[in-house]
Amino acid sequence: MLIISDDNAQMVIDESLARTGGMVSVEPRRTTYGSSEAQQIGLIAGEEQIKPYPESEWPDRIKAMAGRFIGDVMVANKVKCKDQNGLGFCWTYSLTSCVEVIRLQQGQGYVELNPESLGGDVGWRNAGNSLDSAIAYARTHGICERRFSPPHNLKTGTWQKGWEENALGYKPAEWFDLDGKERWPMTVTALLSGYPVYVGYDWWRHALIVVGLTLVGSEVCLVLRNSWGSNYGDDGYFVLKGNKKYPSYGCFAPRSVTWNIVA
């Protein structure tokens, strides 16, 4: 499997800029960890947060989780790799993947959703965004099913009627906010607990979904799925190791998904 590390990160950055025409596709978060503004959009911190597993337990837990990580759920359910195809919409493609796969974890079955339906948060332009702003928009507006529009179409006037009502049935209501001082152990624990993790990287200018963990030698590394199509890595999957693996522009795990309007 493709491994991205400190040694080849520049190659990845160059490819990302080439794909988006130099666009910065992910931005720093706009709400402060644990603030009232963060709580209002469903970001959970403090006492309700996931309790980190001791680092000494991680290797054994990773081995015990083999075949049961969220990425394995995606493979078993034949969830196809998304392809943003040059759009600077990694922030919505990865969020949408999180919602699709958490539904599978909850026994809801797979429904392909339309990442472009969150484009209203950037005025239906081809533009980057922060992860927490995308979460706030999705919590209010939802994400419609793919069947209402073909990929990469931001002209909502051409979409099938009823997409806005349909989107209200797919609203991620709550997310564990992993951005505190224990971001890394919280991220590892969330993945070991069977959650996908929605992350952004400043060095890459990119947002992705983390779907598992693996050991490269003795190092705990992330397994991610990109939104650059099935030809990238191993059907979109790759490993991130070294200093580049630590998220910097937001780190969130969907706690639950509600299928009706949030009060």
Side-chain angles (χ1 to χ4, degrees):
M1 185 178 288
L2 170 67
I3 297 178
I4 297 175
S5 66
D6 300 353
D7 296 333
N8 61 355
Q10 188 58 52
M11 176 184 68
V12 175
I13 295 168
D14 293 342
E15 182 178 4
S16 184
L17 293 174
R19 284 176 178 266
T20 63
M23 182 185 301
V24 177
S25 299
V26 66
E27 302 170 356
R29 67 179 292 165
R30 299 177 187 178
T31 58
T32 303
Y33 176 85
S35 67
S36 59
E37 291 83 0
Q39 293 171 14
Q40 287 170 8
I41 64 173
L43 299 182
I44 298 169
E47 290 300 316
E48 294 184 86
Q49 187 61 279
I50 299 170
K51 303 299 186 292
Y53 293 133
E55 187 171 354
S56 60
E57 297 180 5
W58 293 357
D60 288 340
R61 286 184 178 273
I62 290 171
K63 293 172 185 176
M65 277 289 289
R68 298 189 294 118
F69 280 110
I70 204 76
D72 302 303
V73 174
M74 297 173 81
V75 171
N77 286 273
K78 300 180 180 179
V79 177
K80 66 181 182 181
C81 184
K82 297 189 184 302
D83 187 355
Q84 62 193 85
N85 193 31
L87 282 178
F89 267 31
C90 56
W91 53 272
T92 176
Y93 271 65
S94 46
L95 184 154
T96 300
S97 291
C98 280
V99 175
E100 289 176 347
V101 75
I102 201 69
R103 290 186 80 250
L104 287 173
Q105 284 289 70
Q106 295 176 342
Q108 298 287 337
Y110 177 67
V111 175
E112 184 180 4
L113 300 177
N114 179 354
E116 289 81 26
S117 62
L118 295 179
D121 199 32
V122 291
W124 304 107
R125 297 174 296 111
N126 181 14
N129 200 1
S130 69
L131 273 58
D132 54 331
S133 181
I135 285 171
Y137 190 86
R139 189 175 193 264
T140 301
H141 297 83
I143 311 167
C144 78
E145 296 172 19
R146 167 54 74 197
R147 61 187 173 89
F148 286 88
S149 171
H152 317 122
N153 180 3
L154 299 180
K155 297 179 179 179
T156 56
T158 67
W159 294 12
Q160 292 182 30
K161 292 182 179 180
W163 72 267
E164 292 170 299
E165 292 78 11
N166 177 264
L168 296 176
Y170 301 91
K171 296 167 60 171
E174 296 177 329
W175 297 72
F176 290 115
D177 192 342
L178 310 180
D179 260 355
K181 62 181 180 180
E182 294 187 301
R183 176 190 287 165
W184 177 240
M186 295 291 292
T187 299
V188 171
T189 300
L191 294 162
L192 288 172
S193 301
Y195 292 98
V197 180
Y198 178 40
V199 297
Y201 290 98
D202 58 348
W203 66 267
W204 196 347
R205 303 180 178 184
H206 197 40
L208 303 110
I209 176 176
V210 191
V211 298
L213 297 163
T214 191
L215 295 170
V216 178
S218 60
E219 181 182 352
V220 174
C221 301
L222 300 181
V223 179
L224 301 96
R225 200 177 202 193
N226 208 344
S227 52
W228 288 356
S230 59
N231 291 328
Y232 188 84
D234 183 2
D235 192 26
Y237 297 97
F238 68 96
V239 172
L240 192 54
K241 69 184 294 287
N243 292 324
K244 300 301 184 189
K245 69 186 177 185
Y246 301 110
S248 47
Y249 270 7
C251 191
F252 309 97
R255 183 189 191 195
S256 65
V257 176
T258 185
W259 310 118
N260 49 29
I261 296 174
V262 177

